[in-house]
């Protein structure tokens, strides 16, 4: 007998389902998008028990004929593309023809659908990919899907589902994303019998206000920009209404919600100097891009999108948002001390250089606990998996080596420093410190300028990352516990992640509405504890990070906090040590959140300055 056998369809579908359908919210997203693709003008989403018991989606779209009502459940069955070329010209949400096959493989589905030109509708019941009933039926024009017993035959998935509160949070996230992408369609969401959203068809501004509340209206600043590459429209929130969490950050391209840390960075930059420490801008930005110039195919659930002209769009975003904020007379006069600015990229231009305030605590040496941990890129990450396993993390956290390698690999577009150059850096002792923060060092082709504070931050980040992989991080006990109010959903999220938070150095107790911190990671400065914890709460609540993203985020925040201390650059040895440590980090060009640490000025650029 052959060893290799083709998997039966229902098994293949079940495997594919794992990619497309992670939780009830994924079903809601896929079905809502199908309704939009079917030209619906109204979509009703009705769920019970956060979708664990029932998900029902009713639309008034074009409906399906009798054979399509069966075919739609086959894998790779789609009416949306017919040839590979269509992939580069997508005008619909779906195109893979995977969603219904996946959903049908792992639940009990009932479909009722009718086209306006047909006299009767069709009913199809399907359970774990097997059709159990097909019949004519009486039903209104359009389509209704009922999904029951999701993951009934994938117990691992079912057990993995979080509390109703958390799952319902994901559902509203998806619902809002689709509703924001299609203001001209009416949407309704009911949960356990109560109506949560009842959104009439509207213009974009009204749709945003209907979702966020009336007082949002005055806070919106319109964005509009038309270029050959991208058409931008939408709104940003006036900076004074920014939030301590990343909740209201929405990017859409061709009416599709997507996530992009790169563009988020651009938008944040446009707010440079306008946000209080620890605050994030809110935005609803809609891009129209020639579909041939983007690739939505990179991710099975399609929240990441590749753009051909990413860099240009970045600049267009920064300039058009800056302009819009400027037009609305939002002067950079908010009362905050830039020096302690907590999460914003501090761009070097457009602002006066600040006076040195930085001094290194001579007793403090972040590197002494690691012997050879910070080796040159690549090699150190090879040992992660075994290190994690031996530290006992493997069981709880499911990290694997590839994850950890990605963990570190924030894309470095251009590597300014090459290993061969590093040695020349230290061949002589010529370093200059400008304004207490910029270190100038000769390079092979000219000179480097290093942002000292960011360098210091990166060194601490990379060092604590490496130590964290090996063992839980040290905690510093607080003299007086710090109490932070939390909502019920935040409490659940903390409880779900408590092990990881402990490993990162947080000791905490949690009662009904209060989080009481008794110890925090070392290096976390007293005044940044609160904003740091609030940032973690925001991330948990709105981003549903994987454990590795959460760990990385926390460590990056801690490093940022540590780098607010005074760094003494008067001391040549310290400065040299800092540069050395920086170049030993796996990433030394950008900080974990993408701020530039080092730039090179080459001979040509220097020469040009003298023309
Ligand atoms: P895709 O959306 O990628 O084509 P799906 O599995 O989500 O794949 O859907 C398969 C097909 O079923 C769609 O291409 C469409 O023809 C049909 N279909 C799904 N949902 C609806 C709906 N609500 N109304 C009409 N047709 C639908
Ligand atoms: Mg679809």
């Amino acid at each position: 007998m052959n060893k290799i056998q083709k998997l039966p369809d229902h098994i293949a579908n079940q495997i594919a389902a794992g990619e497309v359908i992670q939780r009830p919210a994924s079903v809601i997203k896929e079905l809502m998008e199908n309704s939009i693709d079917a030209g619906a003008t109204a979509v009703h989403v009705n769920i019970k028990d956060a979708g664990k018991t029932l998900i029902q989606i009713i639309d008034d779209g074009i409906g399906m004929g009798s054979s399509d009502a069966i075919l739609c459940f086959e894998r790779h069955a789609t009416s949306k593309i017919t040839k590979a070329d269509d992939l580069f010209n997508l005008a619909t949400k779906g195109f893979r023809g995977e969603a219904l096959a996946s959903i049908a493989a792992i639940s009990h589905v009932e479909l009722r659908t009718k086209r306006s030109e047909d006299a009767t509708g069709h009913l199809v019941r399907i359970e774990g990919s097997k059709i159990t009933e097909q019949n004519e039926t009486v039903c209104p024009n359009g389509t209704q899907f009922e999904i029951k017993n999701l993951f009934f035959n994938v117990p691992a998935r079912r057990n993995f589902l979080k509390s109703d509160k958390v799952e319902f949070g994901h559902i509203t996230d998806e619902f809002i994303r689709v509703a924001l992408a299609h203001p001209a369609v009416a949407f309704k969401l009911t949960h356990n019998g109560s109506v949560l959203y009842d959104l009439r068809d509207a213009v974009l501004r009204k749709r945003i206000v209907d979702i966020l509340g009336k007082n949002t209206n005055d806070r919106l600043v319109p964005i509009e920009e038309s270029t050959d590459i991208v058409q931008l429209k939408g709104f940003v929130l006036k900076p004074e209404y920014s939030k301590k969490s990343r909740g209201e950050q929405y990017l859409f391209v061709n009416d599709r919600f997507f996530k992009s840390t790169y563009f988020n960075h651009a938008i944040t930059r446009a707010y440079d100097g306008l946000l209080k420490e620890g605050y994030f801008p809110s935005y609803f930005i809609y891009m129209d891009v020639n579909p041939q110039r983007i690739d939505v195919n990179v991710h099975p659930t399609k929240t990441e999108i590749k753009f051909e002209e990413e860099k240009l769009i970045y600049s267009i975003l920064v300039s058009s948002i800056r302009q819009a904020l400027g037009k609305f007379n939002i002067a950079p006069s908010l009362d905050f001390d830039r020096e302690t600015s907590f999460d914003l990229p501090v761009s070097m231009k457009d602002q006066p250089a600040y006076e040195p305030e930085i001094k290194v605590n001579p007793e403090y040496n972040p590197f002494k606990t690691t012997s050879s941990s910070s080796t040159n890129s690549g090699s150190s990450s090879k040992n992660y998996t075994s290190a994690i396993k031996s530290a006992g993390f493997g069981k709880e956290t499911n990290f694997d080596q590839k994850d950890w390698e990605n963990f570190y690999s924030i894309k470095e577009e251009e590597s300014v420093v090459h290993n061969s150059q590093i040695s020349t850096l230290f061949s002589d002792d010529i370093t200059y410190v400008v304004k207490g923060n910029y270190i100038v060092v000769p390079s092979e082709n000219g000179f480097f300028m290093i942002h000292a504070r960011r360098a210091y931050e990166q060194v601490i980040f990379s060092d604590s990352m490496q130590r964290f992989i090996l063992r839980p991080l040290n905690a510093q006990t607080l003299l007086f516990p710090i109490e932070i109010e939390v909502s019920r959903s935040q409490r659940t999220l903390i409880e779900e992640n408590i092990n990881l938070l402990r490993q990162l150095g947080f000791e905490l107790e949690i009662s009904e509405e209060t989080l009481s911190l008794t110890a925090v990671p070392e290096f976390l400065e007293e005044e940044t504890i609160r904003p740091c914890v609030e940032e973690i709460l925001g991330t948990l609540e709105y981003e549903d990070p994987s454990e590795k993203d959460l760990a990385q985020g926390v460590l990056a925040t801690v490093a940022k906090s540590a780098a607010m201390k005074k760094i003494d650059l008067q001391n040549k040895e310290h400065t040299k040590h800092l540069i050395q440590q920086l170049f030993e980090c796996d990433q030394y060009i950008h900080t974990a959140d993408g701020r530039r640490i080092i730039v090179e000025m080459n001979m040509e650029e220097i020469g040009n300055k003298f023309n």
Side-chain angles (χ1 to χ4, degrees):
M1 197 176 93
N2 290 337
K3 275 196 183 148
I4 300 177
Q5 290 178 40
K6 256 192 107 175
L7 289 175
D9 274 355
H10 70 278
I11 306 267
N13 285 341
Q14 211 169 314
I15 294 171
E19 279 208 6
V20 190
I21 307 297
Q22 282 112 18
R23 48 178 16 122
S26 337
V27 175
I28 280 133
K29 171 181 186 279
E30 293 296 337
L31 296 187
M32 284 178 84
E33 290 189 342
N34 279 348
S35 297
I36 304 283
D37 284 344
T41 65
V43 181
H44 183 183
V45 180
N46 174 31
I47 54 179
K48 282 208 183 112
D49 305 321
K52 292 172 188 170
T53 316
L54 170 75
I55 298 170
Q56 186 185 36
I57 313 248
I58 308 161
D59 71 45
D60 63 351
I62 52 172
M64 286 179 263
S66 59
S67 48
D68 279 353
I70 305 255
L71 255 180
C72 69
F73 294 108
E74 301 255 324
R75 199 138 63 100
H76 306 308
T78 177
S79 56
K80 299 171 193 172
I81 56 175
T82 49
K83 50 187 189 300
D85 268 0
D86 293 348
L87 265 180
F88 303 102
N89 244 326
L90 283 172
T92 52
K93 314 271 117 196
F95 57 86
R96 293 165 171 258
E98 266 174 355
L100 290 181
S102 300
I103 294 167
I106 51 168
S107 67
H108 296 177
V109 180
E110 191 177 290
L111 161 67
R112 283 162 209 274
T113 185
K114 179 180 168 301
R115 299 183 299 188
S116 57
E117 64 265 39
D118 295 340
T120 53
H122 309 282
L123 165 76
V124 178
R125 286 209 171 89
I126 178 162
E127 298 182 356
S129 299
K130 281 199 190 65
I131 293 177
T132 57
E133 187 180 341
Q134 60 184 103
N135 249 319
E136 287 199 342
T137 189
V138 178
C139 61
N141 291 341
T143 301
Q144 169 186 320
F145 277 101
E146 263 187 33
I147 315 299
K148 290 182 181 154
N149 304 324
L150 185 62
F151 300 128
F152 78 98
N153 52 358
V154 202
R157 277 274 163 185
R158 201 170 170 95
N159 297 337
F160 168 83
L161 289 179
K162 305 220 164 145
S163 65
D164 281 10
K165 189 115 203 163
V166 173
E167 292 302 338
F168 188 65
H170 288 294
I171 291 173
T172 28
D173 284 351
E174 294 294 358
F175 177 86
I176 288 173
R177 288 168 186 174
V178 179
L180 281 173
H182 300 279
V185 179
F187 291 98
K188 188 162 159 182
L189 175 63
T190 45
H191 187 210
N192 295 336
S194 36
V195 178
L196 289 153
Y197 291 95
D198 192 357
L199 308 166
R200 303 260 174 85
D201 61 305
V203 292
L204 178 58
R205 187 175 195 125
K206 175 142 195 324
R207 173 57 51 95
I208 295 173
V209 171
D210 284 346
I211 291 175
L212 267 80
K214 281 206 188 75
N215 49 12
T216 314
N217 197 24
D218 297 336
R219 304 178 177 179
L220 298 173
V221 177
I223 304 293
E224 184 126 37
E225 183 74 76
S226 181
T227 68
D228 291 347
I229 297 160
V230 62
Q231 246 93 290
L232 277 185
K233 65 174 178 85
F235 298 89
V236 294
L237 235 68
K238 292 181 186 166
E240 59 268 39
Y241 299 109
S242 55
K243 289 206 157 182
K244 281 210 165 184
S245 64
R246 295 175 192 273
E248 283 135 22
Q249 301 189 326
Y250 295 94
L251 281 172
F252 301 89
V253 60
N254 302 350
D255 299 331
R256 192 191 283 278
F257 172 84
F258 73 106
K259 288 187 183 171
S260 161
T261 37
Y262 186 66
F263 291 152
N264 177 58
H265 186 263
I267 299 161
T268 310
R269 249 188 78 184
Y271 276 80
D272 218 359
L274 295 171
L275 290 174
K276 281 196 274 184
E277 74 169 77
Y279 283 72
F280 298 91
S282 293
Y283 51 81
F284 307 83
I285 291 176
Y286 295 72
M287 309 182 183
D288 269 318
V289 177
N290 179 345
Q292 300 187 354
R293 297 283 168 116
I294 55 173
D295 181 3
V296 292
N297 215 355
V298 283
H299 195 265
T301 51
K302 296 170 283 196
T303 50
E304 287 154 30
I305 288 178
K306 264 204 292 218
F307 286 76
E308 247 175 62
E309 273 130 343
E310 182 173 71
K311 285 190 181 156
L312 283 169
I313 298 178
Y314 183 102
S315 332
I316 296 168
L317 270 172
V318 177
S319 70
S320 54
I321 296 174
R322 267 212 185 136
Q323 219 176 33
L325 289 173
K327 244 191 231 162
F328 275 70
N329 263 337
I330 298 149
S333 58
L334 288 164
D335 169 34
F336 71 97
D337 176 5
R338 159 158 296 288
E339 191 55 19
T340 56
S341 171
F342 191 61
D343 5 47
L344 283 176
V346 179
S347 104
M348 280 160 57
K349 29 183 179 116
D350 306 337
Q351 47 164 304
Y354 36 74
E355 278 305 308
E357 271 186 27
I358 321 164
K359 262 204 186 82
V360 166
N361 167 4
E363 279 107 353
Y364 159 65
N365 177 358
F367 324 114
K368 68 174 177 241
T369 45
T370 45
S371 44
S372 60
S373 60
S374 26
T375 50
N376 280 333
S377 44
S379 59
S380 50
S381 56
K382 300 284 174 329
N383 305 321
Y384 292 169
T385 321
S386 52
I388 295 157
K389 285 203 180 114
S390 64
F393 285 8
K395 278 172 273 157
E396 280 162 26
T397 52
N398 290 329
F399 291 130
D400 71 23
Q401 178 174 350
K402 226 162 110 228
D403 285 347
W404 282 100
E405 281 165 1
N406 294 337
F407 202 127
Y408 254 111
S409 64
I410 296 147
K411 214 181 5 181
E412 299 285 37
E413 300 122 19
E414 62 237 78
S415 178
V416 285
V417 189
H418 306 288
N419 283 346
S420 63
Q421 295 181 313
I422 294 172
S423 54
T424 55
L425 274 175
F426 299 107
S427 58
D428 50 41
D429 266 346
I430 317 168
T431 57
Y432 294 100
V433 177
V434 183
K435 291 281 183 194
N437 193 39
Y438 305 107
I439 307 168
V440 180
V441 200
S443 71
E444 234 167 44
N445 308 316
F447 61 86
F448 296 120
M449 282 182 292
I450 298 168
H451 192 297
R453 190 185 296 278
R454 292 181 190 172
Y456 187 72
E457 179 184 324
Q458 184 61 8
V459 166
I460 294 187
F461 171 73
S462 147
D463 175 68
S464 44
M465 276 291 309
Q466 303 217 10
R467 279 186 297 125
F468 172 64
I469 291 161
L470 299 172
R471 66 190 90 88
L473 292 178
N474 295 338
Q476 46 173 340
T477 308
L478 298 170
L479 217 47
F480 303 103
I482 293 184
E483 302 210 320
I484 295 176
E485 249 180 55
V486 288
S487 67
R488 196 186 290 218
S489 61
Q490 288 174 329
R491 196 183 72 195
T492 319
L493 290 166
I494 294 270
E495 281 163 356
E496 278 166 2
N497 290 285
I498 202 148
N499 280 337
L500 182 65
L501 291 170
R502 290 212 167 109
Q503 285 162 0
L504 288 164
F506 288 97
E507 279 305 331
L508 45 93
E509 275 158 35
I510 189 150
S511 65
E512 195 59 26
E513 281 172 348
T514 325
L515 174 71
S516 172
L517 285 169
T518 52
V520 296
E522 61 178 337
F523 308 138
L524 191 58
E525 294 293 291
E526 175 102 33
E527 69 274 21
T528 52
I529 294 175
R530 207 172 271 277
C532 173
V533 173
E534 276 163 4
E535 183 171 340
I536 296 170
L537 287 171
T539 310
L540 284 174
E541 212 168 4
Y542 295 103
E543 292 179 9
D544 186 29
S546 62
E547 291 193 308
K548 62 178 195 288
D549 287 345
L550 181 63
Q552 181 176 33
V554 170
L555 295 180
T557 310
V558 171
K560 216 176 286 182
S561 156
M564 280 177 205
K565 288 207 303 204
K566 301 187 172 180
I567 305 172
D568 179 10
L569 299 174
Q570 309 279 341
N571 182 328
K572 275 225 165 338
E573 278 311 301
H574 277 167
T575 310
K576 201 166 152 184
H577 189 56
L578 178 63
I579 302 170
Q580 226 152 8
Q581 295 297 339
L582 175 68
F583 289 132
E584 283 174 12
C585 294
D586 283 348
Q587 307 286 339
Y588 45 72
I589 300 171
H590 292 102
T591 59
D593 58 357
R595 285 163 299 138
R596 190 91 186 187
I597 301 169
I598 179 164
V599 287
E600 185 175 24
M601 186 77 112
N602 63 34
M603 285 319 291
E604 197 186 330
E605 287 164 307
I606 298 170
N608 285 341
K609 297 265 177 217
F610 293 100
N611 279 338

